[in-house]
Amino acid sequence: MSRIIVITSGKGGVGKTTTTANLGMALAKRHHKVAVIDADFGLRNLDLLLGLENRVVYTAVDVLAGQCRLEQALVKDKRHPNLVLLPAAQNRTKDAVKPDQMKKLAMALTKVYEYVLVDCPAGIESGFQNAIAAAQEALIVTTPEIAAVRDADRVIGLLEANGIRKIHLIVNRIRPAMVQANDMMSIEDVKEILAVPLIGVVPDDEKVIVSTNKGEPLVIAETPSMAGTALNNIARRLEGEKVDFLDLTPTNDGFFSKLKKVLNTKLF
């Protein structure tokens, strides 16, 4: 049975699109047929993160207007043919599409694809309503900041009010050293506030920026990264696999710590 999952947050800039691109690629790499939908009309970015921006010909709006078939609008990823993108239109506002139309598109994709991942725009207005219209499940992405967590809490309430009960939490850009110094909310703090099951913790990683600029998801990057491993693990958990969370205990590998180790070695 196909699964329609919306990736949302409320607050912008917390990593929804990065999460969607990487989970889509990770699931495709694991031999699932995956369609990712960019529901951010007017400000699409999912094509950029997947490195598919030069191959977009038609968009979801063109399909709804009858200017092309759904199959013609789907952009196939040459690296993993199991993955396709349904791009949003850049020259239309979020009001150009209605929730029932988005639901029709998503349901049509479930006839072919095992996973349909919907990248939700920021906010809780019409774009949000479009993105959740067909969803059976939701992944809430938040960073461990009070504003992001508060917005995520509001979105969880809206999802439940719209009948979406299967909700999981992804805490993104965690910095263990800051958590240890009490300068950042801990995973437990976020879990306690939001009260939904945790499915992933992604550490802050500079390689995310490199990945975004290259249009190459971290989950297929040649150089392994903690964030890429964490995102691959989320995909495995979505499949139902039990995977331990990464050990994100901060390490004391600074200059003075290394010097202290050298001195201790010489003394003893």
Side-chain angles (χ1 to χ4, degrees):
M1 183 179 174
S2 298
R3 296 167 67 182
I4 303 174
I5 306 172
V6 64
I7 291 88
T8 185
S9 67
K11 189 177 185 300
V14 298
K16 289 185 300 293
T17 303
T18 299
T19 300
T20 306
N22 278 278
L23 290 184
M25 186 65 78
L27 289 165
K29 191 175 68 171
R30 295 177 67 80
H31 310 294
H32 295 287
K33 290 181 73 69
V34 184
V36 291
I37 301 176
D38 192 337
D40 197 351
F41 292 90
L43 290 171
R44 77 174 187 224
N45 282 315
L46 191 51
D47 56 326
L48 287 172
L49 270 67
L50 288 168
L52 300 175
E53 67 276 11
N54 294 327
R55 299 183 54 214
V56 175
V57 178
Y58 296 110
T59 69
V61 171
D62 295 320
V63 177
L64 294 172
Q67 295 174 0
C68 69
R69 300 189 314 277
L70 177 58
E71 294 75 16
Q72 290 177 298
L74 297 176
V75 184
K76 293 183 180 179
D77 194 299
K78 292 181 179 178
R79 294 160 298 192
H80 280 281
N82 284 336
L83 179 66
V84 298
L85 163 70
L86 179 60
Q90 280 187 300
N91 59 347
R92 300 292 184 92
T93 65
K94 294 174 177 62
D95 296 328
V97 178
K98 303 300 180 188
D100 60 328
Q101 293 176 310
M102 284 294 291
K103 185 173 183 177
K104 183 179 177 181
L105 288 174
M107 295 305 293
L109 289 169
T110 61
K111 295 176 182 177
V112 178
Y113 298 93
E114 297 170 71
Y115 286 89
V116 177
L117 307 182
V118 185
D119 183 24
C120 184
I124 55 173
E125 287 89 26
S126 59
F128 172 78
Q129 294 298 329
N130 286 336
I132 70 169
Q136 305 146 339
E137 308 172 42
L139 297 177
I140 295 284
V141 182
T142 185
T143 51
E145 307 160 57
I146 192 64
V149 173
R150 184 174 66 178
D151 286 0
D153 188 42
R154 170 80 169 123
V155 165
I156 289 169
L158 291 172
L159 290 169
E160 291 174 343
N162 281 273
I164 301 172
R165 303 288 179 182
K166 193 172 182 180
I167 304 169
H168 286 91
L169 171 66
I170 297 173
V171 181
N172 194 25
R173 296 182 195 147
I174 191 80
R175 296 187 182 188
M178 289 185 69
V179 173
Q180 192 176 59
N182 290 321
D183 290 329
M184 177 177 276
M185 296 173 73
S186 70
I187 303 299
E188 291 303 318
D189 292 335
V190 178
K191 281 175 61 181
E192 185 176 348
I193 294 168
L194 298 181
V196 291
L198 183 70
I199 198 171
V201 177
V202 183
D204 196 33
D205 194 331
E206 291 180 356
K207 289 180 182 176
V208 173
I209 299 171
V210 177
S211 161
T212 300
N213 289 337
K214 282 185 172 181
E216 180 183 85
L218 283 171
V219 294
I220 58 166
E222 290 183 12
T223 307
S225 65
M226 289 283 280
T229 301
L231 288 158
N232 265 314
N233 287 348
I234 295 170
R236 292 167 64 190
R237 293 187 194 107
L238 278 174
E239 293 178 305
E241 189 177 340
K242 291 186 177 180
V243 186
D244 289 337
F245 289 93
L246 296 178
D247 182 3
L248 299 178
T249 306
T251 55
N252 296 316
D253 290 327
F255 172 75
F256 290 107
S257 296
K258 290 178 181 177
L259 180 62
K260 187 176 179 181
K261 288 179 183 176
V262 171
L263 292 173
N264 285 339
T265 302
K266 288 183 177 179
L267 286 172
F268 298 101

